[in-house]
Amino acid sequence: MIDPPRSDGDVGLLSPVSASPLVAALTGDRAVLAAILAVEAAWAAVLEEASLAPAGSAAVVAAAAEAYRYDAAGIAVRAQGGANPVIPLLADLRGQVKALDTAGVGAAQAVHTSLTSQDVLDTALMLLARNALPALLADLKRTAAALAALAEEHADTLCVGRSLTQHSLPFTFGLKAAQWFHGVAAAARRLEAVELPVQMGGAAGTLAAGTVLTTGAAVTPFDLSDSLAAGLGLAATPGPWHTNRLAITALGDSLAAVTDALGKIAGDVLFLSRPEVAELAEPRAAGRGVSSAMPQKQNPVLSVLVRSAALQAPAQAAQLHLAAANFNDERPDGAWHTEWPALRQLLRLALGAAGHLRELAEGLQLFPDAMRRNLDLSGPLLLSEGVSAAVAPLLGADGKQRLQAVVDRTLQAPAADQAAIYRRLLRAAVPAELFSDARLEELLDPASYLGQAAEISRRILAAFPDYAGGTAAGADAQPSLNPDLNGASRG
């Protein structure tokens, strides 16, 4: 017998990067519903505290604002009647308040008084983000700490740098990890600095109803707005931002920056873990990386999932900007509505990608021998820039041209013969009295031409001490807030 489905809703079947119980708990419809209700409950508390609602109202509204009391699916369908979910939810909330107000305090007077749907929904989305960001930042900090540790541990591990797909110069894996760290730490710092403001403007953003409400009271509508912000843990605002959407686009851009940084790492790992490159490998876990047809495959699925998020996020951020630029009048006819799913999807993508990338960074497998093998594929030609810088000035005015001719002639030979040919032609072009054989060989040592790689890494880590996790002693990380995304650790 086939069990009936547990849910007809979206459980992430086609979005595996964010198909996580934690992501669902933080950003799903139930979380949105809870955030809207939390705003209404907090507003009732603000009104009662200001003596603008009957004593005892806040407790009744808080009891009625438990999300389990409401049918999210039914509210979603009914939202079509007013084009937003606040309107049908308010009808149900008022019914619950009336039913729970057994003492007859008149708690219904505290529900939504002087607010408009946009006040509630904008504030609820800021609250949704505020509730999700700690988990996201926790994974980013663990990722950054793991990358900082790799940067220190492999400061001298040689590999090849690549430019426009081709070998460029000697590099170190420590610098590569430091650059990864830089992207993650900078994106996390930017996200931490994002302001999540409360929204309160009334029907057309003039606080007209709030002004009537507070006439003769000891508070102003602005005091009420500030109290609501404090009660919800959001930022106060100098005025309504109904049609000024910088708060939304700034948050969206910061989330997209996170997926950008994570996507860069995932893209590098995808290339460097190819069998013909084989410099890196993802941490292994039972049942992960399998193929439905090829039992021998070990697919780098953590990187695949992270990259899928990085490829989706920019379009979501662009949607927020498109909406912001089309916020006509004092409340737009459709642009506002397009923000909601785009912002939530950005939160989901960033949360999912961060959990997967954290596991990848903490368990990344390195193969220094393969790095050296790939570095040696280009042979001494890889050092031709450094050779030219050191030798050309000693050869006279045409020194650079003579050394370039050596490179050009070498490149005409089969790849397998180029190393020997380059050494022979170079030796012939450079008089022994200017450079001995030993000195030329020193120039052709990849470790001799790393520039400031070590100092660049050190400076990057030093610029983000809160994210480096102690580096020298390793990351003393706390348990992840994404337990459902945990997996194998570094082997």
Side-chain angles (χ1 to χ4, degrees):
M1 179 178 179
I2 299 176
D3 292 331
R6 291 183 296 175
S7 172
D8 291 326
D10 182 0
V11 294
L13 198 62
L14 299 180
S15 304
V17 65
S18 55
S20 148
L22 182 76
V23 174
L26 291 172
T27 65
D29 283 346
R30 185 62 56 181
V32 173
L33 198 67
I36 295 172
L37 290 165
V39 173
E40 294 287 356
W43 181 242
V46 166
L47 294 182
E48 182 178 333
E49 178 66 23
S51 300
L52 296 173
S57 297
V60 176
V61 176
E66 296 289 344
Y68 73 86
R69 298 178 181 275
Y70 301 89
D71 173 19
I75 290 170
V77 173
R78 290 159 55 208
Q80 297 177 54
N84 78 69
V86 176
I87 295 172
L89 179 56
L90 272 175
D92 294 350
L93 175 61
R94 288 188 172 109
Q96 289 287 339
V97 168
K98 183 178 180 180
L100 293 173
D101 190 6
T102 55
V105 301
Q109 298 177 48
V111 177
H112 202 69
T113 300
S114 81
L115 299 180
T116 191
S117 295
Q118 187 174 1
D119 293 337
V120 175
L121 193 50
D122 281 353
T123 302
L125 289 175
M126 293 295 101
L127 186 59
L128 188 79
R130 192 214 67 181
N131 293 339
L133 291 188
L136 174 54
L137 287 166
D139 274 333
L140 292 177
K141 287 186 175 182
R142 280 187 59 173
T143 295
L147 295 175
L150 286 172
E152 284 202 338
E153 181 182 352
H154 294 280
D156 299 321
T157 300
L158 290 174
C159 63
V160 65
R162 296 174 175 90
S163 173
L164 300 180
T165 76
Q166 303 300 297
H167 287 194
S168 56
L169 292 175
F171 211 74
T172 68
F173 186 79
L175 180 54
K176 183 180 289 289
Q179 293 289 9
W180 290 348
F181 166 88
H182 194 181
V184 172
R189 179 179 286 178
R190 176 179 175 182
L191 186 61
E192 283 190 301
V194 166
E195 191 171 75
L196 304 174
V198 73
Q199 175 76 281
M200 198 180 89
T206 64
L207 290 170
T211 301
V212 173
L213 177 68
T214 56
T215 298
V219 295
T220 69
F222 303 104
D223 296 326
L224 300 181
S225 177
D226 292 348
S227 295
L228 180 62
L232 292 172
L234 298 176
T237 179
W241 44 279
H242 283 172
T243 56
N244 174 11
R245 308 309 287 174
L246 184 60
I248 298 291
T249 57
L251 174 58
D253 289 346
S254 295
L255 293 168
V258 166
T259 60
D260 290 346
L262 303 183
K264 157 61 179 170
I265 299 171
D268 282 351
V269 173
L270 285 167
F271 172 74
L272 295 172
S273 63
R274 288 172 177 262
E276 61 270 26
V277 181
E279 295 181 12
L280 300 176
E282 290 192 351
R284 296 201 174 195
R288 187 168 64 204
V290 297
S291 165
S292 66
M294 295 166 281
Q296 85 283 2
K297 289 192 73 180
Q298 187 66 36
N299 295 318
V301 293
L302 293 175
S303 298
V304 168
L305 291 173
V306 172
R307 187 164 187 264
S308 76
L311 292 174
Q312 295 176 70
Q316 303 298 331
Q319 177 60 58
L320 297 180
H321 285 281
L322 180 62
N326 286 278
F327 256 64
N328 57 298
D329 301 325
E330 278 58 63
R331 183 163 304 120
D333 47 3
W336 178 46
H337 306 72
T338 68
E339 287 180 344
W340 317 334
L343 184 60
R344 178 167 69 169
Q345 183 65 359
L346 278 168
L347 283 168
R348 286 175 165 175
L349 292 170
L351 280 164
H356 294 304
L357 205 288
R358 186 263 310 148
E359 182 182 350
L360 172 61
E362 291 182 339
L364 188 64
Q365 300 178 67
L366 276 68
F367 305 106
D369 289 345
M371 294 179 187
R372 183 60 196 237
R373 180 199 68 216
N374 293 332
L375 173 65
D376 290 341
L377 287 176
S378 291
L381 276 175
L382 202 67
L383 283 300
S384 59
E385 180 191 67
V387 169
S388 181
V391 176
L394 304 177
L395 298 180
D398 64 344
K400 279 195 173 183
Q401 290 80 5
R402 290 167 61 184
L403 293 175
Q404 183 62 50
V406 169
V407 172
D408 292 342
R409 288 183 60 189
T410 302
L411 290 174
Q412 295 175 17
D417 301 331
Q418 287 178 1
I421 291 174
Y422 179 71
R423 278 188 164 87
R424 176 171 56 78
L425 294 176
L426 181 63
R427 179 68 281 175
V430 181
E433 59 269 23
L434 295 180
F435 263 83
S436 66
D437 289 347
R439 181 69 182 107
L440 277 182
E441 283 303 312
E442 288 177 10
L443 288 179
L444 298 180
D445 179 3
S448 72
Y449 199 62
L450 294 172
Q452 297 293 322
E455 178 61 10
I456 293 170
S457 296
R458 188 201 66 77
R459 288 170 63 89
I460 289 173
L461 299 186
F464 298 89
D466 293 344
Y467 296 91
T471 56
D476 185 18
Q478 298 299 313
S480 174
L481 295 183
N482 280 17
D484 51 281
L485 295 177
N486 284 345
S489 61
R490 185 192 308 269

